[in-house]
Amino acid sequence: MTPRHTPTLTARPHWSRRALPWATASLLLLGGALTWHSAQAQGADIFKDADLALGQKLIADNKCVACHVSKVGGDGSAMYKPAGRINNAGLLRGMVEMCNTTMNLGLFPEEVTAVAAVLNRDHYRFK
C-alpha cells in the first residue's frame, strides 16, 4: 500500500498562499495602530532636548520653505495648519520624517526631531 501523495521538502502547506496576504495585512494594521497610539501619546516633551539651532540650519540648508512655497504658494506658511491634520507633537515629528524620507534628505533621527522642534516653536506650539 503506497500513499497517494508524498510531501517533499519544498512543498508548502495549501493554506500559506491564501493566509500570507491576510497575515501581512494584519501585521501592517497592528503596526500602524501602535504607531498612531504612540504618536497620540507623545507631547511636546519629545522636543525637550532638541537642538533648535541645528533645526533652523537644516531647514535653511534643505530649502524646506522653497519646497513648501512650490506646494502651497504664497510664503509657504499655509503648509502649517495647527488645527489641521497635524494636531500633536508626535504627528508633527512624523510629518517631518515623511518629508525626510520622501525628499531623500538623509536626516538622522535627532535631526528630524530638531527640525520638528523648530516648527513646533514657530508654528504649532504644542504643549
Side-chain angles (χ1 to χ4, degrees):
M1 185 160 134
T2 61
R4 291 169 49 180
H5 173 68
T6 305
T8 63
L9 293 176
T10 60
R12 292 186 210 159
H14 70 283
W15 55 267
S16 69
R17 280 177 250 125
R18 283 178 277 192
L20 186 59
W22 288 105
T24 302
S26 297
L27 287 173
L28 288 173
L29 286 172
L30 177 62
L34 291 173
T35 301
W36 178 83
H37 177 71
S38 174
Q40 292 292 320
Q42 292 177 337
D45 58 328
I46 65 173
F47 303 137
K48 72 177 178 175
D49 295 326
D51 184 344
L52 296 175
L54 174 63
Q56 287 179 299
K57 181 180 181 328
L58 290 168
I59 289 170
D61 291 351
N62 290 294
K63 300 176 178 60
C64 297
V65 174
C67 182
H68 291 180
V69 167
S70 74
K71 292 188 181 306
V72 299
D75 64 357
S77 65
M79 183 72 76
Y80 312 114
K81 297 179 182 176
R85 294 182 312 177
I86 308 300
N87 56 19
N88 67 50
L91 291 174
L92 172 58
R93 191 192 179 287
M95 185 58 75
V96 174
E97 183 60 55
M98 187 186 79
C99 287
N100 179 38
T101 303
T102 303
M103 303 305 294
N104 198 23
L105 300 175
L107 300 178
F108 291 107
E110 62 273 10
E111 294 173 323
V112 169
T113 300
V115 169
V118 170
L119 295 176
N120 187 56
R121 180 194 69 194
D122 296 347
H123 300 284
Y124 291 89
R125 298 176 181 89
F126 294 124
K127 300 205 181 320

